[in-house]
Amino acid sequence: MHTSVQYKLSELLALNPEFTQLSVIGSGHINSTWLLKNTDEQFIVQKLNTEVFKHPAQLVSNAQLIEQHLNTKQLQNNYPLEVIKHIATYNREYLIEIDNEHYRVLNYISNSYSEDVIKNAQQSEQAAYAFGVFANALQDFDAQQLHTVIPDFHNLAMRFEQLNTAITNNIINRVKHCADEIKYCLSQQHLITELNNITQHIPLRVCHNDTKINNMLFCSTTHKAKAVIDLDTCMAGFWLYDFGDMVRTFCSPEAEDSTNLHNVVIRKDIFSAIVKGYVAPLKSSMSTLERESLLLGAKIMPLMLSVRFLTDYLNNDVYFKVAHADHNLERAQNQLALYKNILSNEQWMHERLMS
Ligand code: ADP
Ligand code: GN1
Ligand code: MG
């Protein structure tokens, strides 16, 4: 972060800029996040990616409405996790504009850590339980209040359309490098129909929509789940998306961009722990069909991310942050390996989910 921005931010937070230290934190693909330390205070500062989030004020408004809802639950002893709170500037602004960039400040959850790869089944059950508790706490939240921050975010048909457009445009001639991956993705479009058929019969929910493992904070002392973070994509949706994204990001022993593809597999103990943790707080609200639909989510999410990573690779890496030229292609290959492994374990997963 540029020193002049650091100065301005400190001033807006009524902190002495001389004592402000910023360090990059986390590994998110969209926003930029820093830990701000100032003598004995700590905050999270985020620069919002306004290419992705075109209306940052709407994003902050959504997150604040959810924050208020969860705070109320917490006061009633109905929400056992910590709530991420927005911090206002001295002039009571929650969205900060400096040099045409948008920032927001959040309370820092101390004594916590996030993971990019789940270590064991206990951690998996903890995180899944916390995402389930979060979903349960939002059951009486009116989804109409939320702005659609990214239209069609989990619309699989639209994601395929975007891939087809990128293939047609082929702006930097990369189609030839991923012809097999494209062909395979396009052969899986029957999932669009399966999704449309099932979603006609299950309720629309308020979803987190980005339940990847590094959007959970764990307590450094007890290792229990401590807080659900990254509420940027909270919108109406189906629980199958949140379940599917947990399966996608918890189950493989390899990171999302690992090229060690033979090891990109579903760890069965981790999957069982997700089912146990997530279903417990939601069981009484879920029909058999909705529970069954969760398995479709486990297929949809890795396929959708393969399609999104491939699309971005073809579009010259304009959406997800990349560290090198083939990064998005490698992510897509990783997600396809996971998707294929899920297909080969589908029957076992179904039995485990419904048992
Ligand atoms: P992104 O949108 O880029 O994914 P996140 O909101 O997920 O950003 O934050 C990135 C990382 O920063 C998280 O994975 C976590 O390690 C850390 N982090 C974010 N918010 C907090 C917080 N309130 N307290 C402590 N750490 C946090
Ligand atoms: C992005 O911001 P982050 O890293 O938590 C993306 C998700 C993807 C994920 C893949 C707004 O999440 O949809 O599933 O990368 N967020 C947005 O790792 O597109
Ligand atoms: Mg994140």
Side-chain angles (χ1 to χ4, degrees), residues 28 210 214-215 230:
D210 191 7
N214 61 20
N215 288 329
D230 203 345

Side-chain angles (χ1 to χ4, degrees), residues 153-154 156 191 209-210 240-246 248 296-308 335 339:
F153 190 54
H154 285 332
L156 187 62
L191 283 198
N209 285 319
D210 191 7
L240 66 93
Y241 299 138
D242 283 355
F243 180 84
D245 217 27
M246 282 191 278
R248 183 182 82 74
L296 183 59
K299 293 191 282 181
I300 296 280
M301 294 311 290
L303 179 67
M304 179 147 42
L305 265 297
S306 308
V307 168
R308 291 178 61 193
Q335 294 298 293
Y339 174 71

Side-chain angles (χ1 to χ4, degrees), residues 299-349:
K299 293 191 282 181
I300 296 280
M301 294 311 290
L303 179 67
M304 179 147 42
L305 265 297
S306 308
V307 168
R308 291 178 61 193
F309 287 139
L310 267 185
T311 304
D312 199 34
Y313 174 69
L314 296 176
N315 288 343
N316 200 17
D317 311 315
V318 288
Y319 188 94
F320 296 105
K321 283 182 193 165
V322 288
H324 54 88
D326 286 341
H327 210 163
N328 271 319
L329 176 59
E330 289 170 4
R331 288 170 177 150
Q333 288 165 338
N334 175 302
Q335 294 298 293
L336 280 181
L338 186 67
Y339 174 71
K340 288 177 189 173
N341 187 264
I342 289 172
L343 294 187
S344 67
N345 281 298
E346 197 173 341
Q347 200 180 339
W348 176 86
M349 288 167 80

Side-chain angles (χ1 to χ4, degrees), residues 39-81:
T39 47
D40 53 357
E41 291 191 281
Q42 301 192 92
F43 301 102
I44 289 290
V45 174
Q46 270 184 334
K47 183 165 85 177
L48 302 173
N49 179 334
T50 48
E51 286 298 317
V52 170
F53 298 108
K54 309 265 185 222
H55 306 286
Q58 294 187 354
L59 179 151
V60 172
S61 159
N62 281 2
Q64 284 190 298
L65 286 171
I66 290 170
E67 173 188 324
Q68 283 154 16
H69 185 85
L70 296 179
N71 270 337
T72 309
K73 296 258 160 186
Q74 201 187 45
L75 286 170
Q76 297 163 341
N77 277 334
N78 281 332
Y79 189 68
L81 305 170

